[in-house]
């Protein structure tokens, strides 16, 4: 099937934009590192100035009430990660300008399988204070040495005059920072000027994005375009475009790369792409949350149930890395009590509109597929239990991209269960973007090295222990993307990485860790973590205020801003 073409006048406008970018290649290639760093600083100022309008536009299309704490999500996943990424990229360029590596000053370590690791969080004093108790490491593939990591960090900025041509970025419609971060990575990691085609859902952000990217637009290195699938199709097939990057679903990816219908299926089977250029992607999948059995208090059960409800209901489930299946041990003595808390957490989370296209249909399909095992909770939410491990159905193979959560029970004590849960996640779940593990500190102590080995065995681009993999998305210096090794005809959760402000060459995964107990309750368990309930929790009462304050701080880090942030966070 041949994709429909845009109207003639629109094609002329698209050709004009691409031709502008062809000329912009030379302008970008002529920008030395100092100029590129200056552009980042200008965009940081523009983002700070546009942040309020940015959040208002996001709130409008997501139809959130003006007084909702959920507005905090738009601050924390909109301006905030863009501001932190701009700063981190500028720091990497500064290092290169001084003939140093971007990873100089970061701690190196070792992970199972002979992997070198780079500790990217915490790094600054601000990280230690604002994300106390959270950490993130980048694991390199087995065999890569520390010296190789240092020498290769910088990617295209090691050779800024080498043009990567014109690239197309097909922007996401769910998380508003994604289009901007993808554009930055194309330019700074690959030396590609960019035609950013917005998802129609985010057209209301066009003015904001024009303001944020104005320094690059004025240079001729970026053009922002709107329209439907016909516009996207025209751009990706344009003869002057040398690369395509997209965010979305595997089904959308395959439609773009191979076409639709029986002809598209045949091309995919044959591995015959419709495109004559490379395609990278960040796609979704079915993310598991593996809950290890242990001796938990009622407060632990309640808090971790809220944690998992957040992993599912953040942005109403319209996240590529939203948890979709909770994996628990059928032999865990506290299983039923935990599931009761999980139902309560799903029911008590604030209601919100199903703004993303097709959400209600996907919820309806889940209800029809699982019948009596699918339980309606609150408004538009579904909890599926009673999955047959031998025949679990589409819960493990189809991304719902909606507020639908399933529970899969597997037998065994802690060690047996962990081994089977890892095997199931690797072999039966669609996608490799993110996997979550939740374990009591006592359980972690008993497992010891076996837990680290299990993390190493999980074939996911981000693995989070007692944290949500979304924290990896928010960490500017961490790579974000699928586990490496996928191909166009078996794309899973995508090809390549984004974010990665240290510009590491060929990272394997990011491993995020967080506190099992929040402050101040952590003190009762001998832990000194300062982190209370995180502001991204859907149950956080002050998320909107804390999110705004964090974005303001990211624009201009300073000691005087910390008391208000801490006070708001503690009230959450």
């Amino acid at each position: 099937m041949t994709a429909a073409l845009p109207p003639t006048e629109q094609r002329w406008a698209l050709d004009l934009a691409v031709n502008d970018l062809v000329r912009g290649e030379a302008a970008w290639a002529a920008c030395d590192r100092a100029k590129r760093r200056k552009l980042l600083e200008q965009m940081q100022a523009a983002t700070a100035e546009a942040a309020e309008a940015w959040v208002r536009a996001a709130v409008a299309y997501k139809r959130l009430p003006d007084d909702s704490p959920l507005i905090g999500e738009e601050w924390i996943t909109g301006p905030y990660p863009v501001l932190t990424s701009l700063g981190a990229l500028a720091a990497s360029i500064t290092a290169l300008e001084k003939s140093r590596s971007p990873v100089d000053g970061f701690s190196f370590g070792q992970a199972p399988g002979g992997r070198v690791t780079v500790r990217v969080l915490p790094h600054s004093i601000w990280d230690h204070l604002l994300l106390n108790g959270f950490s993130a490491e980048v694991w390199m593939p087995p065999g890569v040495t520390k010296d190789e990591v240092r020498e290769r960090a910088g990617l295209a900025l090691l050779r800024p005059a080498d043009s990567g041509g014109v690239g197309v970025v097909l922007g996401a419609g769910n998380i508003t920072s994604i289009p901007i971060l993808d554009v930055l990575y194309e330019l700074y990691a690959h030396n590609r000027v960019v035609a950013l085609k917005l998802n129609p859902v985010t057209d209301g952000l066009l003015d904001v994005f024009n303001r944020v990217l104005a320094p690059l637009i004025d240079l001729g290195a970026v053009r922002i375009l709107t329209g439907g699938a016909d516009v996207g199709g025209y751009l990706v097939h344009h003869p002057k475009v040398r690369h395509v990057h997209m965010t979305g679903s595997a089904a959308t990816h395959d439609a773009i790369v191979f076409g639709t219908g029986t002809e598209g299926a045949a091309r995919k089977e044959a591995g015959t792409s419709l495109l004559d250029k490379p395609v990278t992607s960040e796609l979704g999948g079915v993310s598991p949350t593996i809950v290890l059995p242990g001796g938990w208090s009622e407060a632990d059960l309640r808090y971790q149930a809220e944690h998992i409800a957040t992993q599912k209901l953040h942005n109403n489930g319209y996240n590529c890395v939203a948890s979709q299946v909770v994996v628990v041990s059928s032999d865990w003595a506290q299983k039923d009590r935990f599931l009761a808390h999980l139902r309560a957490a799903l029911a008590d989370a604030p209601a919100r509109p199903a703004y993303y296209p097709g959400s209600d249909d996907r919820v309806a399909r889940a209800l029809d597929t699982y019948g009596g095992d699918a339980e309606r909770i609150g408004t538009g939410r579904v909890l599926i239990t009673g999955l047959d491990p031998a025949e679990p159905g589409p819960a493990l193979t189809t991304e719902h991209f909606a507020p639908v959560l399933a529970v899969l029970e597997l037998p065994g004590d802690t060690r047996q269960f962990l081994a089977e849960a890892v095997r199931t996640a690797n072999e039966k779940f669609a996608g490799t973007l993110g996997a979550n593990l939740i374990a009591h500190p006592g359980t972690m102590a008993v497992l010891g090295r076996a837990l680290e080995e299990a993390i190493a065995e999980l074939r996911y681009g981000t693995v989070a222990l007692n944290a949500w993999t979304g924290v990896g998305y928010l960490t500017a210096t961490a790579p974000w993307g699928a586990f490496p090794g996928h191909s166009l005809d078996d794309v899973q959760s995508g090809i390549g990485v984004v974010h990665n402000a240290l510009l590491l060459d060929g990272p394997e995964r990011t491993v995020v860790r967080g506190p099992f107990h929040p402050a101040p309750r952590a003190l009762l368990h001998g832990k000194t973590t300062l982190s209370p309930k995180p502001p991204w929790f859907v149950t956080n009462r002050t998320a909107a205020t804390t999110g705004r304050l964090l974005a303001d701080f990211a624009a201009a880090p300073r000691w005087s801003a910390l008391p208000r942030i801490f006070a708001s966070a503690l009230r959450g």
Side-chain angles (χ1 to χ4, degrees), residues 72 90 142 144 152-153 186 228 275 290-291 314 319 321 351 356 411 434 480 496 509 529 553 555:
V144 176
R152 297 174 185 171
E186 287 292 285
L275 301 180
I290 300 169
V291 181
H314 183 280
N319 288 332
V321 77
Y356 206 84
W480 181 252
R509 76 182 82 194
T529 176
F553 181 86

Side-chain angles (χ1 to χ4, degrees), residues 450-487:
L451 183 56
E452 290 301 303
E453 296 286 353
I455 291 172
E457 288 178 26
L458 281 164
R459 297 192 293 270
Y460 287 81
T462 299
V463 178
L465 175 61
N466 291 334
W468 178 32
T469 46
V471 178
Y473 176 92
L474 294 176
T475 303
T477 45
W480 181 252
F483 195 77
H486 300 313
S487 59

Side-chain angles (χ1 to χ4, degrees), residues 218-231:
D218 292 344
L219 184 70
V222 170
R223 290 292 180 268
I224 306 179
L225 306 161
T226 60
D230 56 344
V231 171

Side-chain angles (χ1 to χ4, degrees), residues 67-93:
D67 59 349
S68 173
L70 296 173
I71 291 173
E73 293 180 359
E74 303 314 314
W75 284 102
I76 292 170
T77 64
Y80 172 78
V82 170
L83 288 162
T84 57
S85 291
L86 289 165
L89 277 172
S92 290
I93 294 177

Side-chain angles (χ1 to χ4, degrees), residues 50-60 71-72 74-76 78-79 176 205 208 548:
E52 184 76 36
W54 183 328
V55 171
R56 282 201 309 269
V59 166
I71 291 173
E74 303 314 314
W75 284 102
I76 292 170
T176 59
L205 282 155
V208 168
R548 179 193 292 269

Side-chain angles (χ1 to χ4, degrees), residues 372-407:
D373 291 329
E375 174 185 353
R376 290 183 180 271
I377 296 180
T379 303
R381 296 164 189 169
V382 175
L383 180 66
I384 302 168
T385 54
L387 291 181
D388 180 352
E391 297 288 342
L396 274 60
T397 58
T398 301
E399 182 185 14
H400 292 307
F401 213 69
V404 177
L405 184 66
V407 176

Side-chain angles (χ1 to χ4, degrees), residues 73-314:
E73 293 180 359
E74 303 314 314
W75 284 102
I76 292 170
T77 64
Y80 172 78
V82 170
L83 288 162
T84 57
S85 291
L86 289 165
L89 277 172
S92 290
I93 294 177
T94 298
L96 292 169
E97 288 179 289
K98 296 179 179 179
S99 299
R100 296 190 291 108
S101 171
V103 298
D104 287 351
F106 288 80
S107 300
F108 283 78
Q110 293 286 327
R115 293 172 171 89
V116 167
T117 67
V118 184
R119 190 179 184 89
V120 296
L121 182 75
H123 179 61
S124 69
I125 183 62
W126 311 123
D127 293 339
H128 284 278
L129 292 171
L130 294 174
L131 290 166
N132 191 268
F134 288 88
S135 67
E137 296 173 334
V138 181
W139 292 16
M140 303 303 291
V144 176
T145 68
K146 176 181 175 180
D147 286 344
E148 288 171 335
V149 174
R150 289 191 70 260
E151 291 167 4
R152 297 174 185 171
L155 298 179
L157 284 175
L158 297 174
R159 299 169 301 279
D162 295 348
S163 175
V166 177
V168 166
V169 168
L170 300 178
N174 56 337
I175 296 296
T176 59
S177 56
I178 293 176
I180 303 295
L181 295 176
D182 289 353
V183 165
L184 291 175
Y185 200 69
E186 287 292 285
L187 282 155
Y188 284 83
H190 299 297
N191 278 347
R192 281 193 282 267
V193 295
V194 181
L196 168 60
K197 191 272 180 189
L198 298 185
N199 186 306
V201 175
T202 62
D203 281 354
L205 282 155
L206 176 61
D207 178 65
V208 168
F209 287 174
N210 274 319
R211 291 164 61 185
V212 169
L213 294 173
L216 295 171
I217 294 170
D218 292 344
L219 184 70
V222 170
R223 290 292 180 268
I224 306 179
L225 306 161
T226 60
D230 56 344
V231 171
Y234 187 77
L235 288 170
V236 302
H237 289 283
H238 200 286
K240 295 181 181 178
V241 167
R242 290 170 52 184
H243 182 271
V244 175
H245 179 79
M246 65 163 291
T247 301
S249 69
T252 300
H253 169 275
D254 288 351
I256 291 169
V257 173
F258 301 110
T260 58
T262 57
E263 292 180 1
R267 289 190 197 95
K268 182 178 178 180
E269 180 69 22
T272 305
S273 173
L274 288 171
L275 301 180
D276 59 351
K277 59 207 67 176
V279 180
T280 55
S281 51
E282 187 266 274
L283 311 175
V286 177
S287 293
T289 296
I290 300 169
V291 181
L292 300 184
W296 296 13
S297 69
E298 280 294 303
D300 295 337
L301 292 167
R302 182 170 55 252
Y303 178 79
Q304 294 301 341
E306 289 184 30
H307 191 183
I308 293 176
T310 291
Q311 294 174 12
K312 174 74 270 181
L313 297 179
H314 183 280

